[in-house]
Amino acid sequence: MSSKAHTMLRRFRGLYGGRHIQFGNQISHAENKTRRCWKPNVLRKRLYSAVLDRWFRFRMTAAALKTMQKHGGLDQYLLRSRDDELLYDRAIRLRESIRQVLLAHREARENAAAYAPDSDTSPSSPSVK
């Protein structure tokens, strides 16, 4: 197993938005170099899904939270995320649930529009001459 595989395992347990552990050198005033790592800024957040009308708890990075705010919320973030960024099984299942609900809403709107009376058949008001 490579060292890169070890750094990625944590990403399978939350929304990390492409972030992972980075490695480099800590450099002292005497310019001594010591290996160190920078871990992602991981937060535990409660997020609201407007489509599913529920709250969810996620472990996520601050960068993923900023991206989520840019996209307009949890639902849009999950729908727009690439598959290689969205590695958390729970998030993938949640995305599929959101897609199913949105598809059901779309079908309901189309069915309602198909059975709605046309505006052309309604009696028009008499015109004044």
Side-chain angles (χ1 to χ4, degrees):
M1 201 179 232
S2 68
S3 63
K4 190 167 186 172
H6 284 334
T7 63
M8 300 296 188
L9 293 179
R10 191 174 175 198
R11 291 176 52 195
F12 291 102
R13 296 191 312 246
L15 300 174
Y16 280 65
R19 303 294 179 175
H20 55 86
I21 297 174
Q22 294 181 337
F23 298 96
N25 291 322
Q26 175 178 330
I27 301 176
S28 69
H29 181 70
E31 296 188 10
N32 297 326
K33 294 174 180 67
T34 307
R35 293 299 286 177
R36 62 157 293 181
C37 67
W38 287 270
K39 294 181 179 175
N41 183 9
V42 180
L43 314 167
R44 286 185 54 90
K45 297 294 286 183
R46 273 184 40 174
L47 302 167
Y48 181 72
S49 170
V51 173
L52 300 176
D53 194 28
R54 274 191 59 194
W55 288 91
F56 294 94
R57 286 191 186 272
F58 283 106
R59 189 179 298 127
M60 63 187 310
T61 59
L65 184 61
K66 287 173 69 174
T67 305
M68 191 174 300
Q69 290 173 346
K70 182 177 94 173
H71 287 313
L74 175 65
D75 301 327
Q76 292 300 320
Y77 174 76
L78 292 175
L79 291 172
R80 291 182 184 183
S81 291
R82 297 190 323 253
D83 290 337
D84 61 338
E85 285 183 6
L86 202 59
L87 300 174
Y88 190 32
D89 289 337
R90 191 168 145 226
I92 293 169
R93 288 192 309 267
L94 184 60
R95 175 171 60 179
E96 292 307 314
S97 298
I98 290 170
R99 282 183 179 158
Q100 289 174 357
V101 169
L102 290 175
L103 185 62
H105 285 312
R106 182 184 301 153
E107 289 174 356
R109 276 196 313 264
E110 289 172 358
N111 289 340
Y115 292 114
D118 293 332
S119 60
D120 296 337
T121 60
S122 62
S124 61
S125 61
S127 60
V128 179
K129 293 184 181 181

